[in-house]
Amino acid sequence: DGGITQSPKYLFRKEGQNVTLSCEQNLNHDAMYWYRQDPGQGLRLIYYSQIVNDFQKGDIAEGYSVSREKKESFPLTVTSAQKNPTAFYLCASRESGTNYGYTFGSGTRLTVV
Amino acid sequence: KQEVTQIPAALSVPEGENLVLNCSFTDSAIYNLQWFRQDPGKGLTSLLLIQSSQREQTSGRLNASLDKSSGRSTLYIAASQPGDSATYLCAVTGTASKLTFGTGTRLQVTL
């Protein structure tokens, strides 16, 4: 079945540590996205990529970095510069063009310990 | 800047009732609107996608309408079941193909 796989499901980060969240899709979608979800604040866009080797900052990119070396993969690194990283992170993808909806993964819950 | 509002924030209904969830958006220049369901601790499941040129979409017991000019959408759930309990999110795709979410309606269907 086609879909988006996020791993790990749960991740714990120590202060000052960088961690990387994985997102892989086998839907052959061109565009991929990272969102952060906090209670009571809805989903906010971190980074997005509409094509391989290209990506743009979203609304809350500070303290995060991404790469898009392969069409099916869009990893997110949460750096030590992100002061409040505890959140639920969701990856999404969709086909190019404005007529298509988004498909989401099952999420990674990151906790700072 | 696009803003999406969902009312009510929470809703509790007895099993079997029909219900309506509301979504409003401030900028009518959208390409489409999508309704999602989210169970606690899980990802988002797409329920319905309505293109800007469409008025409604149906899937089983779900019906979503769109009035782009007034910036409103409704999600109608017929004959609600306990398994429908979840948070429902609406989201609009606007300029630069960016998706803007509402904060959701938390639905509980009681026996």
Side-chain angles (χ1 to χ4, degrees):
Chain A
D1 284 340
I4 297 179
T5 301
Q6 289 189 242
S7 61
K9 189 174 177 65
Y10 299 98
L11 186 59
F12 298 90
R13 192 192 96 167
K14 295 181 179 179
E15 295 283 350
Q17 192 177 48
N18 292 353
V19 292
T20 297
L21 284 61
S22 171
C23 177
E24 303 276 333
Q25 54 101 357
N26 60 3
L27 299 166
N28 201 34
H29 287 172
D30 289 314
M32 298 186 73
Y33 305 80
W34 274 106
Y35 286 87
R36 169 179 172 144
Q37 187 176 35
D38 295 280
Q41 291 197 49
L43 281 80
R44 293 180 290 169
L45 180 63
I46 305 172
Y47 267 99
Y48 63 103
S49 168
Q50 295 183 318
I51 197 168
V52 174
N53 292 322
D54 187 44
F55 49 83
Q56 287 78 41
K57 293 181 179 180
D59 300 319
I60 55 165
E62 185 175 352
Y64 300 97
S65 65
V66 294
S67 62
R68 186 86 186 277
E69 297 176 0
K70 298 187 296 182
K71 186 175 185 178
E72 57 270 22
S73 178
F74 191 40
L76 174 74
T77 296
V78 184
T79 75
S80 57
Q82 171 49 238
K83 298 307 178 189
N84 185 22
T86 295
F88 190 51
Y89 291 86
L90 287 159
C91 178
S93 71
R94 74 180 194 123
E95 298 224 37
S96 295
T98 57
N99 291 341
Y100 300 99
Y102 289 69
T103 300
F104 279 80
S106 57
T108 292
R109 182 163 299 281
L110 173 63
T111 303
V112 173
V113 296
Chain B
K1 178 185 174 184
Q2 179 74 270
E3 292 182 3
V4 181
T5 303
Q6 291 187 246
I7 294 173
L11 182 63
S12 181
V13 300
E15 182 180 14
E17 259 198 24
N18 302 327
L19 59 102
V20 174
L21 308 181
N22 296 292
C23 172
S24 62
F25 46 95
T26 55
D27 185 351
S28 61
I30 64 168
Y31 294 117
N32 56 54
L33 182 145
Q34 200 166 357
W35 281 94
F36 296 91
R37 168 189 173 132
Q38 186 175 31
D39 293 287
K42 305 292 185 184
L44 274 62
T45 299
S46 179
L47 298 173
L48 290 164
L49 172 69
I50 311 177
Q51 303 297 340
S52 61
S53 58
Q54 296 176 319
R55 297 286 292 184
E56 65 179 327
Q57 280 284 346
T58 298
S59 176
R61 293 182 295 109
L62 305 180
N63 176 278
S65 68
L66 174 63
D67 184 341
K68 199 177 89 157
S69 60
S70 68
R72 298 184 186 207
S73 176
T74 61
L75 179 65
Y76 175 83
I77 303 177
S80 58
Q81 303 170 357
D84 294 331
S85 299
T87 296
Y88 290 81
L89 297 162
C90 78
V92 296
T93 301
T95 55
S97 297
K98 291 178 67 176
L99 192 63
T100 303
F101 282 88
T103 52
T105 294
R106 190 170 63 253
L107 173 66
Q108 182 168 6
V109 181
T110 58
L111 291 170

